[in-house]
């Protein structure tokens, strides 16, 4: 089975990472690579590491250039995917790496993103646990539209959902602080994203409940069975290109102890190919996930504070975006879920 895939937004970080993974996928033929302001350039001017695709010419993003493909990946700015997707037929699998189709509540979209909500698509986090049993992967089989999750959302959700599902933590008082690499801000020219500004400095952003990923986290943990989910989310830009290290804490449920907490996390991910709970005493690092579709997780109990502490590390461009898209694509097309994806990182 060979599928022809077009990638829109190919000159950006997310689009480039999608192409890197697809270039190694044994069942994929890469079709059109499209862009907006970079149309007419060779891909190698923007993604010089993609040697096998360097001579490809970026073309304008339009229904015409995206037609004739089995799969279309939209790696576009927030708010841009809805109009493009509306021009594509129902027979093509469309994967949106932006936020346009993630939220079920249109009012939440308007509050955090502004503009008109484009609608809700099946959610592309196969490992998301569901309150009635099972995982989100069952809902992705045969899907023709998939909303790829936010990278910070993935780290917090995977880090804390086992406790919510098992009922060993209280979901109404979650506190998440994330160290985030600069690629998470996208390939844009802004003063605070310059190396001269960011190197040697850690900078919080979207503080005080304003980060756009907040309602998505609440949506996920509610789907996992949480009631009255509330999260205080504080991301911090740190001087690394890739990676998220999410530390999330929650109050312990009555009667829950360290043994019950650890068992909840181990049981939740025992059969997951890409989410690994580390041995006790070993903590996740972003360096161990670079280039891999892996989320590394650890959990501990702060008995004095009465809280569970979860740490999740992942590569924001792989498991946080492009890897999730490819993983969801595999499931939607009936291919092996792990095809074209690796758990092996790059070190040092």
């Amino acid at each position: 089975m060979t599928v022809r895939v077009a990638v829109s937004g190919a000159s950006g970080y997310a689009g480039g990472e999608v192409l890197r993974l697809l270039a190694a996928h044994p069942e994929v033929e890469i079709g059109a690579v499209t862009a907006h302001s970079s149309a007419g350039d060779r891909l190698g001017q923007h993604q010089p590491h993609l040697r096998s695709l360097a001579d490809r010419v970026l073309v304008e993003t339009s229904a015409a250039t995206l037609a004739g493909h089995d799969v279309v990946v939209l790696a576009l700015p927030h708010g841009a995917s809805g109009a493009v997707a509306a021009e594509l037929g129902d027979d093509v699998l469309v994967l949106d790496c932006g936020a346009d189709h993630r939220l079920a509540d249109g009012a939440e979209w308007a509050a955090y993103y502004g503009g008109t909500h484009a609608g809700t698509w099946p959610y592309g986090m196969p490992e998301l646990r569901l309150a009635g049993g099972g995982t989100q992967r069952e809902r992705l089989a045969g899907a023709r539209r998939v909303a790829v999750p936010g990278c910070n959302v993935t780290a917090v959700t995977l880090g804390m959902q086992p406790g919510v599902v098992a009922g060993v933590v209280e979901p109404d008082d979650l506190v998440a602080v994330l160290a985030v690499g600069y690629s998470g801000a996208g390939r844009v020219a802004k003063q605070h994203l310059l190396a001269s500004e960011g190197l040697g400095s850690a900078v919080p952003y979207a503080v005080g409940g304003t980060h756009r990923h907040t309602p998505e986290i609440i949506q996920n943990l509610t789907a996992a069975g949480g009631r009255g989910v509330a999260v205080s989310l504080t991301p911090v830009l740190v001087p690394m290109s890739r990676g998220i290290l999410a530390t999330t804490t929650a109050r312990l449920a009555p009667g829950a102890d360290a043994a019950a907490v650890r068992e909840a996390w181990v049981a939740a991910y025992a059969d997951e190919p890409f989410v690994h709970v580390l041995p006790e005493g070993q903590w996740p690092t972003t360096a161990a996930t670079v280039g891999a579709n892996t989320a590394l997780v650890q959990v501990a109990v702060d008995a004095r504070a009465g809280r569970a502490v979860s740490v999740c590390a992942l590569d924001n461009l792989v498991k946080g975006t492009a890897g999730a898209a490819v993983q969801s694509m595999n499931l939607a097309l009936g291919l092996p879920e792990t095809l074209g994806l690796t758990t092996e990182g790059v070190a040092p």
Side-chain angles (χ1 to χ4, degrees), residues 127-129 156-166 221 224 265 269:
E127 301 89 355
L128 178 64
R129 302 294 297 274
V156 175
T157 300
L158 295 179
M160 190 49 71
Q161 69 169 353
V164 174
V165 172
L221 295 180
W265 264 256
Y269 296 133

Side-chain angles (χ1 to χ4, degrees), residues 160 162-164 166-175 248-265 299-310:
M160 190 49 71
V164 174
V168 296
V169 301
E170 301 287 2
D172 61 352
D173 179 24
L174 306 177
V175 178
T248 309
T249 75
R251 286 186 294 109
L252 291 174
D257 59 13
V261 166
R262 181 159 185 84
E263 174 55 29
W265 264 256
V299 65
V301 167
D302 184 339
R304 289 178 179 267
R307 298 184 74 85
V309 181
S310 163

Side-chain angles (χ1 to χ4, degrees), residues 12 49 92 140 191 219 223 255 267 291 307:
H49 60 298
V92 62
L140 291 172
Q191 179 177 329
Q219 177 176 284
R307 298 184 74 85

Side-chain angles (χ1 to χ4, degrees), residues 14 46 77 95 138 143 187 207 240 264 271 317:
H46 303 275
L95 300 140
E138 286 79 31
R187 181 172 263 175
V207 180
M240 60 185 181
D271 298 321
L317 292 178

Side-chain angles (χ1 to χ4, degrees), residues 236-257:
V236 181
L237 283 174
V238 297
M240 60 185 181
S241 296
R242 294 171 177 252
I244 296 174
L245 188 73
T247 302
T248 309
T249 75
R251 286 186 294 109
L252 291 174
D257 59 13

Side-chain angles (χ1 to χ4, degrees), residues 49-91:
H49 60 298
L50 301 179
R51 299 314 306 157
S52 65
L53 301 169
D55 290 332
R56 291 287 194 95
V57 176
L58 293 163
V59 298
E60 288 281 357
T61 300
S62 68
T65 57
L66 298 176
H69 295 84
D70 302 300
V71 180
V72 173
V73 180
L74 302 176
L76 302 174
H78 301 320
S81 298
V84 177
E87 297 188 71
L88 302 175
D90 294 337
D91 57 332

Side-chain angles (χ1 to χ4, degrees), residues 5-347:
V5 184
V7 177
S8 182
S11 61
Y13 288 141
E17 195 68 358
V18 169
L19 286 170
R20 184 180 73 85
L21 297 178
L22 292 179
H25 194 295
E27 301 295 340
V28 164
E29 174 192 340
I30 297 174
V33 288
T34 83
H36 178 54
S37 60
S38 302
D41 294 348
R42 293 193 181 279
L43 181 65
Q45 293 176 240
H46 303 275
Q47 312 287 8
H49 60 298
L50 301 179
R51 299 314 306 157
S52 65
L53 301 169
D55 290 332
R56 291 287 194 95
V57 176
L58 293 163
V59 298
E60 288 281 357
T61 300
S62 68
T65 57
L66 298 176
H69 295 84
D70 302 300
V71 180
V72 173
V73 180
L74 302 176
L76 302 174
H78 301 320
S81 298
V84 177
E87 297 188 71
L88 302 175
D90 294 337
D91 57 332
V92 62
L93 170 58
V94 184
L95 300 140
D96 183 8
C97 292
D100 292 27
H101 302 94
R102 296 171 186 162
L103 297 180
D105 188 333
E108 290 280 55
W109 167 269
Y112 280 86
Y113 292 92
T116 303
H117 184 223
T120 307
W121 289 358
Y123 192 66
M125 185 185 292
E127 301 89 355
L128 178 64
R129 302 294 297 274
L130 302 175
T135 62
Q136 183 67 14
R137 59 172 45 87
E138 286 79 31
R139 299 181 177 182
L140 291 172
R144 295 293 89 187
R145 298 290 189 270
V146 175
V148 179
C151 54
N152 295 317
V153 178
T154 300
V156 175
T157 300
L158 295 179
M160 190 49 71
Q161 69 169 353
V164 174
V165 172
V168 296
V169 301
E170 301 287 2
D172 61 352
D173 179 24
L174 306 177
V175 178
V177 178
L178 289 73
V180 182
Y182 271 73
S183 61
R187 181 172 263 175
V188 292
K190 294 182 179 180
Q191 179 177 329
H192 74 285
L193 301 179
L194 298 174
S196 56
E197 301 283 340
L199 292 178
S201 179
V203 184
Y205 65 99
V207 180
T210 62
H211 196 285
R212 291 171 167 180
H213 286 173
T214 300
E216 194 179 338
I217 295 169
I218 294 172
Q219 177 176 284
N220 286 355
L221 295 180
T222 300
R227 294 185 178 181
V229 179
V231 58
S232 174
L233 177 69
T234 305
V236 181
L237 283 174
V238 297
M240 60 185 181
S241 296
R242 294 171 177 252
I244 296 174
L245 188 73
T247 302
T248 309
T249 75
R251 286 186 294 109
L252 291 174
D257 59 13
V261 166
R262 181 159 185 84
E263 174 55 29
W265 264 256
V266 171
Y269 296 133
D271 298 321
E272 287 294 344
F274 296 117
V275 186
H276 302 159
V277 179
L278 296 178
E280 287 191 75
Q282 182 180 354
W283 291 94
T285 67
T286 57
T289 66
V290 171
N293 194 51
T294 312
L296 300 180
V297 179
Q298 184 57 280
V299 65
V301 167
D302 184 339
R304 289 178 179 267
R307 298 184 74 85
V309 181
S310 163
V311 177
C312 177
L314 53 79
D315 185 324
N316 58 294
L317 292 178
V318 188
K319 186 57 181 159
T321 307
V326 173
Q327 191 178 344
S328 297
M329 178 193 77
N330 287 339
L331 288 165
L333 295 175
L335 296 170
E337 182 176 347
T338 59
L339 203 61
L341 297 168
T342 182
T343 59
E344 311 299 337
V346 178

